Amino acid sequence: MNKINTGFDVVQNIISGKWKSIILYQLGYEQKRTKDLLQICEGVSHKVLNEQLKQLQQDGLIHRAVYADEVPIRVEYTISDYGRTFLPLLKEMCDAGDHHLERQGITAGNPKICEHSKSL
């Protein structure tokens, strides 16, 4: 078992993984269905997306609502109040990454991921 020594360790553990920060950031602005998240997270598999969503849910960062009375069954994800506390950090990550790309003369491959950052 890894010993957690700092707040950095905690945050890195919570949002580690290629997709968690993107998922959390996107849910900060509106609820999403699995298919929406698959489109945003270009290249993620269903399996990996579901694992990341499950981990975010277990950590209390997101909520999962299942509408079993609908056909087909609808599942929606929303950010929790606790998850919302991570949004300023995620916004700063988007801004810093975009700034770095600009300095390098590189265009973001999927600029839609950080588009909310510009409106805040």
Side-chain angles (χ1 to χ4, degrees):
M1 182 174 175
N2 293 338
K3 184 176 179 182
I4 295 177
N5 295 312
T6 69
F8 287 115
D9 296 328
V10 173
V11 171
Q12 286 177 331
N13 188 44
I14 290 171
I15 63 170
S16 67
K18 185 173 180 178
W19 306 106
K20 283 185 185 178
S21 55
I22 294 170
I23 293 165
L24 191 59
Y25 188 71
Q26 290 296 314
L27 292 178
Y29 297 93
E30 63 183 336
Q31 66 187 20
K32 303 260 188 228
R33 297 174 73 173
T34 305
K35 69 178 178 85
D36 300 324
L37 293 169
L38 282 166
Q39 289 175 339
I40 292 165
C41 301
E42 294 175 3
V44 70
S45 69
H46 261 283
K47 179 184 180 210
V48 171
L49 179 63
N50 286 330
E51 287 171 358
Q52 302 266 292
L53 287 166
K54 186 176 182 179
Q55 290 169 6
L56 287 167
Q57 187 180 0
Q58 288 172 342
D59 286 334
L61 296 158
I62 65 172
H63 300 291
R64 179 177 187 260
V66 179
Y67 300 91
D69 57 333
E70 296 182 18
V71 177
I73 294 174
R74 180 170 49 113
V75 178
E76 291 183 340
Y77 295 92
T78 55
I79 195 167
S80 69
D81 289 340
Y82 175 54
R84 199 166 294 288
T85 66
F86 284 79
L87 290 178
L89 170 66
L90 297 172
K91 179 197 176 302
E92 288 297 321
M93 289 172 62
C94 276
D95 290 346
D98 284 348
H99 179 71
H100 180 75
L101 289 174
E102 287 173 18
R103 286 180 48 96
Q104 301 298 316
I106 300 169
T107 303
N110 188 352
K112 291 180 182 180
I113 290 177
C114 288
E115 70 186 354
H116 298 296
S117 177
K118 309 301 181 245
S119 64
L120 297 177

